[in-house]
Amino acid sequence: MRYVDKTVVGLSIAFVVLLFADFFMAEWMRFIGLQSLARGAVALGLLVLWRTGLVSFGHALYFGIGAYAAAMLTLVGYHDAFFLVLAGTLASGLLAFLLGFLLRRYRAIFFALLNMAFSMILYGVIVKTEELGSTDGFSVLTPTFLGYAPQGEAVQTTLFLFTLVFTYIVTVGVHLYLKTTLGGMSMAVRENEIRVEYLGYSAEKVIHVKYVFSGLVAGFGGAIMALAIGQVDPDSMANWNVSGEFVFITILSGIGNVGATYIGALVFELIRTYAFEYAPQVWQFILGGSLLAIIMFLPDGIWSLIDRLRKSEG
Amino acid sequence: MGILKRPGKAALLAGGLAAAVGLTAGAANAADEVVMAVPTFLTGAGAPAFGVPARNGAEVIIEAINKGKLPAPYDKSGKGLAGRQIKAVIYDESGGGVKQVAEFRNKVQKQGVDLFVGYISSGTCAAITPVAEELKMLTIFPICGTPRIFEEINKNPKYVFRTMGHATADGVAEALYVKANMPDVKGYTGINQNYAWGQDSWRDFDLAMKQLMPNVPASDKAQWPKIFSGQYGAEISALMLSKEPLVHSSLWGGDLEAFIFQGAARGLFRKKKLLFSVADTSVYRLGKKAPAGAILGARGPYGIFAAGVDTPLNNWFRKVYQDRYSVPPVGGSYQAAQGVLAAKYAYDAAAKANGGKFPSTDQVIAALEGATYQGLAAKVHMNRSNGHQAATKHMIGVLEWDKEAGGPIMTKVTEFGPDCVMPPPGVNGTEWLKGGMKGAKC
Amino acid sequence: MQELIVILVDGLVFSSYLFMVAVGLTVIFGVMKILNVTHGSFYAFGAYMSATLIGAYYSTDWPEFGGFLAIFAAALVVGVFFGIVLERGLLRFLYHRDEHIIVLATFAMFLVLEDVLLIIWGTDPYFAFEPMTLLGSVDIVEMTFDVYSLTLICLAVVVGLGLWLGLTKTKWGKLLLAVIFDREVSQAMGINVTVVFTVTFVIGAIMGALGGAYIAPTISVNPGIGVEVIVLAFAVVVIGGMGSIPGAMIGALLVGISRAAAVHKFPEIELFVIYAIMAVVLSIRPEGLFAPAQARKI
């Protein structure tokens, strides 16, 4: 039972609750939920890196690769969601593995910005590719699920179910990974890399493994997003401000717990949705203002609220 | 290690929050109104050139519809859409296709919108089309350039309409105009923004030229500045050094204006003949700075091209618009207004066919499919893509400064019929261009 | 030969533009180690203010050349106001936080200011072409250039030299270098780090605003111009080495001239030039071409 801690229990309860909620949720809420799961996954990838003290300002690169890989496969006749999401995830993971050899040598702001440079190159490549619709992007056909081809509202219900199951697996997986010796090294790398080396671990290897992990989950998020929206385009998937939003969500959530990233993503979506609805002229103001408020008054993110809640109980 | 081992309250909170917010039903709207969502660019670079003029145009028409004050031929059709008042929900189109799809779902499922009349960018239209069909939501695109909407994305639309011609028509009209007015031109080059609309514009113009003037060479160094870059020094030098006398450009908004300032300061417009496909958005604003002598289009009979159309409807629109916003209406204003008029026409016609009762969405769709209705400055024929894609006449002319009136004016205007510039029903635009534009009636 | 010279001139003009856009960012980063996304807002506010003041100036019948004063006045007003308000009102509360958090805070502030801009100036574009028209044009190797763009080169040289000399030759500059080298020790030695930070941020903000203010006459001042310069400025600063003024100059020259060559020779690849240079330079020299040396603390 050494793998079952309170986080795993909590995630499992949330998983079951949401599983049932899927059948009662309003359609628009399910859609927001889907997006939150997808963006939350990318934020989870950032969390893995952040534990090592590294932040990427270019994770739209992996989000975009995941989305475009899944979407492009639908163009050549593959429609099974399992296959598409797996392919998107692996494509991003592979890229992260390759770029990791270079990026693992970098720290601090340089790491953040080199990631951004690579993501902007992907952006440029997509914009230049007229076959993929350039800035317009292209639409992704409704996926099938192992031969089951849902219609109408069932598309979103099934996709939500599908996403929920895999998000659960991925999140628990990441959580357990962070508990392993290698995973636990992250805090040590952040605090003092040289001492880590003296202990006989390679800080670069620790970072490389984490980078691949974060690329995999970001690609997963991207592939889910492509299927959920039914559309991919570079401005929504690969531009630098998309990367900024992911960091935004990570800060909103706090890096205390893997589950927090999904709450952060949900809060982000809700702020944006309501700002858009009630203040269409100043929605950026509200979004930026909320972020500032979080940074100033909730430095450890939403998760710290839950911590406080627990302390007052205890 | 405390923080790593907290229980899953967060997860519970997420579930609870989701349940609490998600299970509440969408907003209730009054039964006697029609909720019309009008997405348009309210922020960002698209706002001044297209978004805000489009919003203004839509607002003028919606208000007149609600008061029952539209001039002929809509003067006898009563107030509102089939008697119901329009409640307009105007919101921002910025942020890319993905965000707009999310917002579309919100508007439909949460705010109970009845129809959409809006979207300017091709990218958003392309992203919205499948969702609109999935959610069975009547959606009228008043603008959007790309032909891909009904050629690739949905060849058999039911709920999505577009009430203006697509980008292919621009390229064909421009090439026809060049052939007629510059038969001896020695070659052409271009400067177009490096994004989908710029690439499409250049491709269509280039393909049409290759068919119509096969002996006139195209430059292999057409310029592709990044969109919204605003700095064109090197591009202007390259254009001045090029040997081609004609320059095709689909720049718009701030990019276009910056290009004109920088080009004028260096005498580019004295040296080269410019052909601007959507420059009408800026001509009033630029005033005397607009390059006189340049060939201009407005993607159809809109904006400055409609200035001389003497019908009660057009005169009324220009006056109300000018009085309220202190500028004349431009292309986007006309196009958005034309989209709203399609809804007016379709709801009223469907109610009539329904014995005067308020029609269902299916009945409205049936009324609009294949219809011909009166736009502000020209008839709109919904006769492409199973009656979902409009064809209108197209106009190209030369911009001059009218000293007496103290304003810009179009001269040497040529009109092209809808069947001259738009591909025939069921024919793909690019294929049609490559195949020599068979079946065009000019 | 003609083409070569034209590429060089175009490249120099664009490099100067890049330098003016990026120098404020590098000044702030050099001293405060803050990657300031709000820089885009300084640029945009500078441009709007400049367009407004130029418009106001030319509606009077004062001498025509005075319009240039409006440009510098706009940069000063915007830079001093936003510099002080942002540094005193927001950033000073964040200095002890993670550097990435501060980047995000400036990103948030940028979003807020984007809408403030719309509230103040609306969505209609502003034109302020009078100074550019005033200076006319000049022919170099049978190619017409506008003089205003060429003055941009002078401005960049003056600003670059001024900042560099100020930093290395004056007492103030030496204090600054001490703070850059070790904040804690300089504080212990009696340097008022708080004032140094505020002044640096204000100077950076003035530089950002001056970029926008000086470019304003050549463009249509539109919503969204701020966002475009952010990535551009980042790229230049990263290529040159963050915090280095000569670095920003070399970075701007490298990108500017390569881009001009691409526009003339291979216009299809124009879009990639800047990011490709950024990726290549970073792959070879992780900290940029001119990064100040850093002590490794154990």
Side-chain angles (χ1 to χ4, degrees):
Chain A
M1 289 301 285
R2 57 182 282 247
Y3 292 118
V4 182
D5 61 10
K6 286 173 178 172
T7 300
V8 175
V9 173
L11 285 171
S12 307
I13 296 173
F15 171 66
V16 175
V17 169
L18 286 171
L19 215 56
F20 284 104
D22 185 23
F23 299 99
F24 303 103
M25 254 189 261
E27 280 182 63
W28 66 269
M29 190 59 218
R30 185 182 301 114
F31 188 66
I32 287 185
L34 255 177
Q35 291 185 72
S36 308
L37 291 175
R39 289 214 171 82
V42 188
L44 182 65
L46 286 177
L47 177 144
V48 171
L49 285 174
W50 206 314
R51 291 269 180 101
T52 324
L54 293 173
V55 178
S56 160
F57 291 158
H59 253 46
L61 172 65
Y62 300 106
F63 186 71
I65 290 281
Y68 265 80
M72 281 158 69
L73 283 170
T74 66
L75 290 181
V76 290
Y78 295 97
H79 296 290
D80 190 83
F82 289 86
F83 178 68
L84 296 177
V85 171
L86 183 70
T89 310
L90 290 181
S92 290
L94 180 67
L95 185 67
F97 175 70
L98 295 175
L99 290 182
F101 286 103
L102 180 68
L103 282 158
R104 67 187 198 178
R105 290 161 33 207
Y106 294 73
R107 300 294 177 270
I109 207 83
F110 304 103
F111 177 84
L113 286 176
L114 190 54
N115 270 292
M116 190 180 86
F118 282 119
S119 83
M120 289 311 290
I121 289 175
L122 173 74
Y123 178 82
V125 169
I126 297 175
V127 169
K128 256 335 245 183
T129 313
E130 287 183 49
E131 293 72 21
L132 294 179
S134 181
T135 41
D136 281 357
F138 59 95
S139 30
V140 183
L141 297 174
T142 310
T144 58
F145 300 84
L146 299 176
Y148 167 57
Q151 298 290 327
E153 200 186 333
V155 176
Q156 294 282 322
T157 330
T158 319
L159 190 60
F160 189 82
L161 218 58
F162 170 89
T163 308
L164 203 56
V165 171
F166 281 95
T167 309
Y168 175 68
I169 297 173
V170 166
T171 313
V172 171
V174 168
H175 175 66
L176 294 180
Y177 160 72
L178 287 173
K179 284 177 64 182
T180 62
T181 316
L182 195 59
M185 270 299 159
S186 41
M187 295 285 192
V189 170
R190 184 175 70 186
E191 293 309 323
N192 196 322
E193 222 176 271
I194 292 165
R195 289 185 193 166
V196 171
E197 305 254 344
Y198 286 164
L199 287 175
Y201 288 94
S202 159
E204 290 198 354
K205 263 193 197 136
V206 173
I207 289 169
H208 198 163
V209 172
K210 280 177 190 295
Y211 193 71
V212 174
F213 254 93
S214 80
L216 282 168
V217 282
F220 168 77
I224 295 288
M225 194 61 127
L227 298 184
I229 304 276
Q231 163 82 10
V232 289
D233 71 78
D235 282 306
S236 316
M237 304 263 175
N239 210 351
W240 67 274
N241 54 338
V242 180
S243 302
E245 284 171 12
F246 293 138
V247 184
F248 185 151
I249 292 172
T250 317
I251 289 181
L252 200 64
S253 324
I255 57 167
N257 187 289
V258 287
T261 54
Y262 300 100
I263 307 173
L266 180 67
V267 171
F268 174 78
E269 291 297 335
L270 289 175
I271 295 174
R272 186 154 84 173
T273 304
Y274 281 97
F276 224 78
E277 189 174 330
Y278 293 107
Q281 303 271 11
V282 289
W283 63 272
Q284 294 192 95
F285 189 105
I286 294 174
L287 207 59
S290 320
L291 177 56
L292 274 182
I294 297 268
I295 291 175
M296 300 293 284
F297 305 115
L298 261 188
D300 295 317
I302 294 174
W303 187 252
S304 60
L305 274 184
I306 293 153
D307 261 355
R308 270 185 229 174
L309 203 75
R310 198 180 131 71
K311 277 193 191 104
S312 63
E313 273 173 20
Chain B
M1 290 301 281
I3 51 162
L4 290 180
K5 290 193 178 171
R6 296 294 178 207
K9 280 224 180 62
L12 281 176
L13 186 80
L17 195 60
V21 188
L23 296 178
T24 54
N29 291 299
D32 57 346
E33 56 185 25
V34 179
V35 185
M36 178 192 284
V38 184
T40 173
F41 287 110
L42 299 178
T43 62
F50 302 115
V52 172
R55 180 198 65 193
N56 296 350
E59 270 180 359
V60 167
I61 295 286
I62 289 171
E63 209 179 288
I65 289 175
N66 279 343
K67 289 189 186 147
K69 283 195 172 160
L70 279 181
Y74 296 99
D75 54 337
K76 296 188 181 62
S77 55
K79 291 181 181 180
L81 296 181
R84 293 194 184 170
Q85 291 288 298
I86 300 172
K87 180 183 165 195
V89 178
I90 296 170
Y91 68 95
D92 192 2
E93 191 187 329
S94 304
V98 166
K99 182 148 133 259
Q100 288 305 318
V101 168
E103 203 44 42
F104 186 90
R105 285 181 184 272
N106 282 337
K107 289 279 179 284
V108 174
Q109 294 165 345
K110 185 154 157 279
Q111 283 178 270
V113 163
D114 295 304
L115 82 156
F116 282 73
V117 180
Y119 297 117
I120 289 166
S121 141
S122 297
T124 2
C125 291
I128 292 297
T129 303
V131 196
E133 292 288 335
E134 182 202 321
L135 298 181
K136 304 190 190 327
M137 175 55 47
L138 174 58
T139 302
I140 298 171
F141 296 144
I143 306 182
C144 298
T146 179
R148 287 172 44 241
I149 308 253
F150 299 130
E151 287 180 359
E152 286 171 27
I153 294 165
N154 196 328
K155 291 180 184 161
N156 211 352
K158 172 148 195 241
Y159 295 92
V160 179
F161 291 85
R162 173 162 51 194
T163 54
M164 72 177 280
H166 54 57
T168 304
D170 303 338
V172 174
E174 288 152 15
L176 284 169
Y177 192 87
V178 170
K179 186 180 181 184
N181 293 283
M182 301 174 72
D184 304 323
V185 67
K186 292 277 182 290
Y188 57 96
T189 180
I191 175 164
N192 293 281
Q193 290 141 318
N194 209 343
Y195 82 125
W197 160 256
Q199 293 159 0
D200 289 353
S201 297
W202 169 253
R203 187 195 57 223
D204 286 353
F205 174 71
D206 189 38
L207 283 174
M209 284 297 285
K210 284 194 164 51
Q211 293 299 331
L212 292 169
M213 305 180 84
N215 297 324
V216 177
S219 165
D220 57 351
K221 282 191 195 150
Q223 292 299 323
W224 293 106
K226 179 182 175 309
I227 187 166
F228 308 142
S229 79
Q231 295 295 316
Y232 302 101
E235 282 86 349
I236 290 168
S237 299
L239 289 176
M240 303 233 287
L241 287 178
S242 70
K243 52 189 187 303
E244 293 82 9
L246 175 68
V247 183
H248 171 271
S249 175
S250 61
L251 295 181
W252 52 265
D255 282 5
L256 171 72
E257 289 152 10
F259 176 70
I260 287 175
F261 291 149
Q262 293 163 24
R266 300 178 55 183
L268 174 68
F269 307 121
R270 286 194 302 273
K271 222 173 161 182
K272 300 281 169 184
K273 188 81 171 170
L274 266 287
L275 191 171
F276 291 112
S277 53
V278 279
D280 89 290
T281 53
S282 296
V283 285
Y284 291 114
R285 196 176 285 140
L286 286 167
K288 276 188 173 171
K289 278 273 160 186
I295 303 171
L296 217 74
R299 306 207 50 224
Y302 311 113
I304 192 169
F305 287 96
V309 176
D310 187 20
T311 62
L313 186 59
N314 187 49
N315 291 338
W316 163 83
F317 181 70
R318 290 192 84 83
K319 182 171 179 340
V320 173
Y321 192 103
Q322 169 89 47
D323 288 350
R324 182 180 300 183
Y325 304 108
S326 339
V327 283
V330 296
S333 328
Y334 269 87
Q335 291 148 4
Q338 185 161 292
V340 179
L341 281 178
K344 170 70 177 162
Y345 168 84
Y347 272 84
D348 288 353
K352 207 169 171 189
N354 196 26
K357 289 204 291 285
F358 190 78
S360 68
T361 302
D362 281 358
Q363 288 167 327
V364 175
I365 288 170
L368 190 52
E369 272 178 352
T372 295
Y373 72 96
Q374 181 63 46
L376 289 171
K379 282 240 184 307
V380 182
H381 309 275
M382 302 295 297
N383 58 7
R384 303 293 199 274
S385 303
N386 304 334
H388 285 251
Q389 165 65 52
T392 66
K393 67 178 180 182
H394 207 299
M395 293 162 96
I396 305 282
V398 171
L399 179 72
E400 294 295 349
W401 181 258
D402 184 348
K403 276 187 196 133
E404 283 164 35
I409 186 175
M410 296 312 301
T411 60
K412 298 181 195 157
V413 174
T414 308
E415 269 192 41
F416 304 94
D419 295 320
C420 175
V421 292
M422 283 286 282
V427 179
N428 174 296
T430 311
E431 301 300 318
W432 181 62
L433 286 174
K434 285 183 181 158
M437 294 177 270
K438 291 197 181 66
K441 293 184 203 122
C442 293
Chain C
M1 189 60 202
Q2 184 203 17
E3 194 178 29
L4 206 66
I5 294 173
V6 170
I7 289 176
L8 204 65
V9 177
D10 286 338
L12 279 177
V13 170
F14 195 72
S15 305
S16 312
Y17 163 73
L18 287 175
F19 180 75
M20 287 310 298
V21 160
V23 68
L25 194 70
T26 214
V27 164
I28 290 176
F29 187 86
V31 178
M32 306 167 78
K33 301 285 172 275
I34 290 176
L35 189 62
N36 176 31
V37 182
T38 322
H39 187 72
S41 314
F42 296 157
Y43 177 88
F45 274 89
Y48 269 96
M49 185 60 84
S50 162
T52 309
L53 291 187
I54 290 174
Y57 186 88
Y58 283 101
S59 62
T60 67
D61 45 7
W62 295 343
E64 281 186 317
F65 276 93
F68 284 87
L69 289 177
I71 295 174
F72 294 99
L76 271 179
V77 170
V78 169
V80 170
F81 177 76
F82 281 106
I84 290 178
V85 167
L86 280 184
E87 202 274 337
R88 287 288 90 195
L90 176 72
L91 290 176
R92 73 184 169 110
F93 300 109
L94 298 171
Y95 289 146
H96 61 285
R97 304 276 295 275
D98 186 287
E99 59 183 340
H100 305 103
I101 302 267
I102 305 181
V103 177
L104 252 275
T106 60
F107 176 55
M109 204 59 223
F110 169 75
L111 289 178
V112 169
L113 289 178
E114 277 290 278
D115 278 346
V116 172
L117 201 75
L118 278 184
I119 293 167
I120 298 177
W121 278 286
T123 51
D124 274 349
Y126 286 75
F127 300 153
F129 45 74
E130 288 88 350
M132 184 162 74
T133 319
L134 192 64
L135 292 187
S137 63
V138 61
D139 281 11
I140 305 171
V141 289
E142 290 166 37
M143 164 67 69
T144 314
F145 289 97
D146 66 284
V147 176
Y148 190 86
S149 296
L150 300 177
T151 63
L152 193 60
I153 303 177
C154 307
L155 181 72
V157 170
V158 169
V159 166
L161 271 182
L163 285 174
W164 185 70
L165 288 177
L167 205 60
T168 50
K169 304 284 179 225
T170 64
K171 182 182 162 227
W172 240 95
K174 285 179 181 154
L175 288 182
L176 220 57
L177 288 179
V179 175
I180 294 170
F181 194 72
D182 197 317
R183 195 187 302 177
E184 280 94 17
V185 172
S186 2
Q187 195 145 23
M189 303 291 272
I191 298 177
N192 189 339
V193 174
T194 313
V195 174
V196 169
F197 269 33
T198 310
V199 170
T200 306
F201 196 77
V202 168
I203 290 176
I206 293 174
M207 289 299 133
L210 182 60
Y214 207 81
I215 295 300
T218 68
I219 60 170
S220 160
V221 181
N222 249 305
I225 53 170
V227 81
E228 293 307 314
V229 303
I230 292 175
V231 180
L232 217 54
F234 274 21
V236 171
V237 165
V238 168
I239 290 169
M242 296 172 63
S244 157
I245 289 166
M249 214 152 212
I250 299 292
L253 280 171
L254 192 62
V255 174
I257 292 176
S258 315
R259 182 184 169 279
V263 165
H264 281 272
K265 289 295 179 189
F266 314 99
E268 291 279 345
I269 64 160
E270 185 269 340
L271 193 65
F272 299 101
V273 170
I274 188 162
Y275 303 116
I277 294 180
M278 182 168 163
V280 169
V281 168
L282 284 186
S283 307
I284 302 165
R285 278 188 68 93
E287 307 198 330
L289 295 173
F290 276 76
Q294 276 183 351
R296 200 177 186 195
K297 290 177 190 169
I298 297 184

